[in-house]
């Protein structure tokens, strides 16, 4: 049974494990003040092309989101997210547990537009309601779409004009930036968003996301927040060493490129088989719509999520590829699918 | 510069890294539902001698404390801790950030007694004050002392009679249980405390604590709390694999025994040199009181924390040993100290 | 300028003020333990026909909602509310500020049905999402509708079968129970909901809501929660005296009946003038849909809320009547409206 | 049985009730935007001698403290209070429930000094601990003492130099300012503290405290915080009308002066009878130390709190006077006490 369930089914890229091995017995400071973490931060700053950012390593996505959002907002302020946003429905109310409401809007293709946000602002005029303050977006989104540079620039300008904080969840930022449809650079981000994170867990690391804060007023005392939420790892080096390896050369991008390539293979072959998709996804998550009987057959050999019912006969499934996805398994999956399809059509 | 600063200055025990390597490319479920985590839980249950416990792996000590305590308490309930307790002064208000007050008592030797707790109960008679509900203890304590079985039994009985939850922070439980003065077994704990955790981070793991909940009413829905606090790691296997290795044979206890042995060497030689200690510590943390000039000399070659000023001429330092501490470095430290001492006395 | 803006534009019913005057210099206990509060609680219990309830006086609706909901829920549990629910959009995130998400459903006529709730339960199957636990309803609702006994019984049964807490916001319970379409009795409520409150502020009191808790497991330590949220008034007698007056004879119901009668007058005359309503409201809030030009004219002499735009030419306004509404002002309003209508149609 | 238990045993001063009566049927805006509240704010600003303050009416002391402190602090910041501070032990963890730790220091005479605060700052150097940010003081204090202008100036300067917010709980500010030992003016406060409140509940009002915020950065969006904590009363006029009456002429100060005068009588006569006091209190709370047998006798005719055991034979009791305290009852109490004393000494 091969899994296309997610991009965190394996351990870490071997180069990362190797780096852990090589540095294992070196003594160093705890709590992220070790040489590896410091060096990794310098490296990422260079890749980003800015020294005016603060970077912190945090173990996972929900952890990063809740620490950042609760640190950035005052008690009466709220976040705005598209209805498919991860913080809304898949983080067990982590943001609300820190005291903040999330205002949901429909959006389009899993993305937010200034019009969406303006609607929220219009509906929240006074102190009887929360004050919308932070705009949460994901890139790539939860349904595989990505933001163009123009879309992000437009959002940024709107947020600036309305004193809103723009925050990007980059759990799958690698896949977004390496997508063939992408026109954003990592170095564009500090100017376009107030804070974002570079996802390690879903792109080859064991754990770890690199939170990048570019707006000065959001930087102050940030390590207090990490510690208070229980996320300042004693052996912070575990994340520093991994990010050092991911950004020493081009590994972070190479891994995402591989994931995208595997998704591209699937996308192309599914399209060739006249299969429609629930969403337009140029990244490493695909949502093909398949007959339920076909899904049942595929489940004998492959594991994946059934995303949602489309009609009485068909459902969308989610196929996720990663740095670890094997090309032969992709090929095998397609062959199996084609074979079953032929059987059904006969 | 060799460090006796803490027990998390290195990576992980090589066997643990090896286990990560060997399992690295195996696909498995996320969020701690993988085979390694499940197997590790089974193993620990066997070592504990009970199937009636729930076990969860959480990345660090502060994280574990805040999740457990906030899950166990209702909003108006408070924790009681000794003034040196880790949750009181070294977790950036993590417990208070979840809404709960911690009531501090002086205690003795870093430990709590029924008399201490009774005093707190007497001082909190009604709804104008918080309701004391959870007793937080550490074993070994923050100043190196350990609980005897009798002391723990007494605390347990008192808590039972007063509807109090007894929770043990086991960041350094390995060192406590392997101390020469210890008369507790791991298997005694489920009957003596309502919940406790087995510290991995400070005993050879990269990250990870195993929270053991023995009281039924505290078990319900616990995974929700882990997720809500951002601590349900996508690659939960990272902790499962490590604990599997720690408890497959006797590694967890072997590592703690080594740490204690190194501490024992230091303790003996320091005592022989007529050096007094701030606290009675039979575990892997020692607090010798040294002349300030000696401390300054030692700092040229060794790193450690200066714990507190004792008088104008002397201070207590903290020396911590671990699974990774090298005997030759301990010997070297003692020789250096003796040499400097001779210089001073001359 | 006469106001139909809300039911809290005046002070208190004169009988209530009188009671405050008469008791003013009597010394008594603080924090709601005075004779008046105790007697008022006994009286309400008698009216409810049950001794098995706990009753607490709390200053306002948002305060009551946030104290009750945060006391009833564990950290990972969420409330369910209809999209027009007061806690969702008009309490500045008060519930989220205590850590709990509110799950919004569309509902119908401002009311929830088991089907709505089942949909929420189906969408929240595991620990990656909050656990829906409390169902929040208002009676009368925010758009003036009321629950029938059958509807409430059905909700109650569904909640019981699904281990859900059913909580009723009774800010305008008086108006609901005195509506001509109502078939519920105050004495039905303890069996049909786990907790509810009897709104005083919007039915003749200066401040004060009487929270009634009927389910035993929700009663424990409740005064701690009131105090912790800053709502245990030193001079709790202020609320006790008022509720004593409201329930000594029939004042509470008389006042609501008057408010409903005034709303009835408006409803009838507006209907006679072929004016449609945004919602079916048999209680003291009406939402007639009027031409914008007519609204502008009326605003010269009357104040009220413009509720929502209906199309480019018309909007719904909200007219609220109360215990203090004067019949001659209602008559005047109708005459003015008819006069303007004639002008428009000419 | 006459009560010296507290200063909130009666209703309100008759002039205040009268004002409620006179304005009762006037329609006005809700939520504190009525003419009475606005006028009361203008009046208080004039008495304070500053237009650069924001003033908000909030129902009680705990409510005011928790709203102000949670609005002023970021999540990782903590308050500092003297060990007898009301927020520490008598508000059911209300501050912690908003996420903030309170750091307790011993202080002297119920008051804080720069030395106390410096000690806290020294002990909280980094992100492993909370960041001390707000200094909470009460005037008069919980044990009856008052701050001199010099003491307050010194605290103010220290706080300014250390970026600390200085907040004064003025539950009994009236009594403090009208004390014979006082050298502070109401108009001094905006320059000496960042925020303070003028207590109404304990000085003749039914409910209500007037929070005065003088530091600009603390003013923003404050009404959101009041609403979010459930404290924005629909009939905010209830507080506006009362404060208007308290500050229209000199009522606020007259009432406090009466309370102090009654306390002065008690103090003088007790001193004449060679009775010692637990604390030096020049305000309306006295803590005489009496033989336990005398206390038992007095309790037959008077109610008051037994404050603390002093030795095996004596205890300190708390006697509180108020605007409503009758001189003949004070005289009666003293006579009774003297009579019993004579009995004892015979």
């Amino acid at each position: 049974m091969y899994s296309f369930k997610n991009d965190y089914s394996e351990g870490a890229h071997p180069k990362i494990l190797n780096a852990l091995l090589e540095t294992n017995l070196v003594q160093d400071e705890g709590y992220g003040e070790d040489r590896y973490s410091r060096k990794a931060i310098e490296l990422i700053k260079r890749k980003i092309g800015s020294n005016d950012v603060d970077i912190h390593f945090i173990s996972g996505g929900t952890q990063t989101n809740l620490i950042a959002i609760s640190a950035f907002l005052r008690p009466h302020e709220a976040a705005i997210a598209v209805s498919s946003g991860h913080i809304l429905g898949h983080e067990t109310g982590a943001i609300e547990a820190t005291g903040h409401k999330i205002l949901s809007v429909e959006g389009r293709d899993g993305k937010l537009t200034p019009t969406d946000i303006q609607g929220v602002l219009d509906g929240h005029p006074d102190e009887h309601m929360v004050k919308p303050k932070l705009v949460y977006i994901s890139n790539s989104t939860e349904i595989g779409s990505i933001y163009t540079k123009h879309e992000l620039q437009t959002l940024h300008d709107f947020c600036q004009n309305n004193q809103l904080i723009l925050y990007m969840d980059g759990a799958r930022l690698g896949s977004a930036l390496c997508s063939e449809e992408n026109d954003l650079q990592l170095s564009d981000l500090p100017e376009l968003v107030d804070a974002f994170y570079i996802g390690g867990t879903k792109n080859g690391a064991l754990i770890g996301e690199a939170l990048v804060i570019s707006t000065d007023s959001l930087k102050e005392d940030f390590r207090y927040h990490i510690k208070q939420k229980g996320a300042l790892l004693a052996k912070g080096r575990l994340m520093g060493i991994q990010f050092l390896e991911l950004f020493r050369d081009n590994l972070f991008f190479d891994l995402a490129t591989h994931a995208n390539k595997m998704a591209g293979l699937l996308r192309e072959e599914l399209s060739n088989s006249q299969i429609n998709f629930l969403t337009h996804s140029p990244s490493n998550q695909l949502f093909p719509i398949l007959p339920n009987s076909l899904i049942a057959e595929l489940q004998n050999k492959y594991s994946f999520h059934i995303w949602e019912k489309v009609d009485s006969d068909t459902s969308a499934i989610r196929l996720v590829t990663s740095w670890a996805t094997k090309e032969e398994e992709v090929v095998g999956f397609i062959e199996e699918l084609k074979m079953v399809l032929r059987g059904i059509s006969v």
Side-chain angles (χ1 to χ4, degrees), chain A:
Chain A
M1 179 89 71
Y2 194 77
S3 173
F4 292 103
K5 225 170 163 179
N6 56 51
D7 29 19
Y8 43 84
S9 292
E10 291 88 359
H13 187 271
K15 278 192 183 172
I16 285 174
L17 276 197
N18 215 41
L20 289 174
L21 267 175
E22 280 172 7
T23 58
N24 190 42
L25 294 180
V26 179
Q27 287 191 320
D28 211 328
E29 295 297 312
Y31 301 111
E33 296 185 316
D34 61 280
R35 73 198 75 173
Y36 310 108
S37 298
R38 281 182 283 123
K39 206 166 163 187
I41 286 170
E42 287 317 304
L43 258 181
I44 297 175
K45 284 184 178 177
R46 227 177 296 155
K47 296 267 176 183
I48 287 178
S50 168
N51 255 316
D52 289 341
V53 296
D54 275 8
I55 298 182
H56 303 277
F57 299 123
I58 302 176
S59 61
T62 297
Q63 188 77 264
T64 307
N65 289 337
L66 82 85
I67 294 173
I69 293 175
S70 70
F72 296 165
L73 296 182
R74 294 185 62 208
H76 63 302
E77 295 174 340
I80 302 172
V82 71
S83 58
S84 52
H86 202 261
I87 55 170
L88 258 174
H90 289 81
E91 300 189 353
T92 317
I95 303 303
E96 290 89 351
T98 67
H100 302 281
K101 194 183 187 71
I102 310 170
L103 301 162
S104 168
V105 289
E106 210 41 56
R108 213 182 42 173
D109 293 339
K111 295 188 277 185
L112 278 178
T113 64
T115 311
D116 297 322
I117 305 170
Q118 185 63 57
V120 174
L121 298 183
D122 292 344
H124 290 78
D126 66 32
E127 71 266 18
H128 291 265
M129 295 152 195
V130 290
K131 184 173 181 176
K133 185 66 183 177
L134 179 145
V135 173
Y136 167 94
I137 57 174
S138 306
N139 194 30
S140 64
T141 72
E142 292 76 6
I143 56 170
S145 55
I146 65 173
Y147 279 87
T148 64
K149 185 166 179 178
H150 177 72
E151 287 170 338
L152 199 55
Q153 182 74 54
T154 310
L155 271 183
H156 166 264
D157 295 348
F158 182 85
C159 288
Q160 287 292 106
N161 291 336
N162 290 278
Q163 285 81 52
L164 296 171
I165 298 164
L166 183 55
Y167 171 78
M168 181 187 280
D169 181 327
R172 293 187 174 97
L173 184 60
S175 177
L177 294 182
C178 296
S179 164
E180 290 192 351
E181 297 187 7
N182 175 63
D183 64 350
L184 270 173
Q185 303 289 321
L186 188 55
S187 57
D188 295 329
L189 293 181
E191 294 199 357
L192 293 179
V193 301
D194 296 287
F196 67 99
Y197 77 82
I198 303 171
T201 307
K202 291 172 179 165
N203 196 29
L206 283 169
I207 57 164
E209 326 293 315
L211 177 68
V212 181
I213 308 178
S214 49
T215 297
D216 285 344
S217 59
L218 304 179
K219 293 173 182 170
E220 198 187 355
D221 289 342
F222 200 83
R223 277 173 61 86
Y224 283 86
H225 300 278
I226 301 178
K227 176 67 183 174
Q228 189 182 63
K229 298 298 186 284
L232 200 63
L233 297 185
K235 293 180 180 168
R237 62 195 282 160
L238 169 59
M239 296 191 291
I241 292 164
Q242 293 185 91
F243 272 94
L244 190 50
E245 205 55 33
L246 283 171
F247 283 94
R248 182 193 301 283
D249 299 315
N250 226 31
L251 187 61
F252 180 79
F253 298 101
D254 292 346
L255 297 183
T257 300
H258 176 79
N260 285 351
K261 195 179 146 200
M262 294 301 102
L265 258 179
L266 280 170
R267 192 186 303 110
E268 194 184 341
E269 292 289 348
L270 288 163
S271 299
N272 290 344
S273 299
Q274 321 305 331
I275 284 166
N276 291 321
F277 292 86
L278 188 69
T279 71
H280 174 72
S281 166
S283 66
N284 74 323
Q285 297 190 91
L286 300 175
F287 301 85
I289 299 170
L290 303 176
N292 294 334
S293 57
L294 169 55
I295 294 172
E297 287 283 345
L298 289 171
Q299 285 180 315
N300 291 326
K301 296 198 178 168
Y302 299 95
S303 68
F304 47 82
H305 278 291
I306 298 182
W307 192 254
E308 67 177 50
K309 201 181 148 173
V310 172
D311 57 36
S312 57
D313 296 324
T314 65
S315 299
I317 66 168
R318 184 179 78 156
L319 299 176
V320 189
T321 59
S322 81
W323 62 275
T325 303
K326 293 177 184 161
E327 185 160 347
E328 66 261 32
E329 294 287 356
V330 171
V331 170
F333 177 84
I334 292 165
E335 283 172 3
E336 178 73 14
L337 179 140
K338 286 182 177 170
M339 203 182 70
V340 182
L341 267 183
R342 277 194 300 273
I344 289 177
S345 63
V346 169

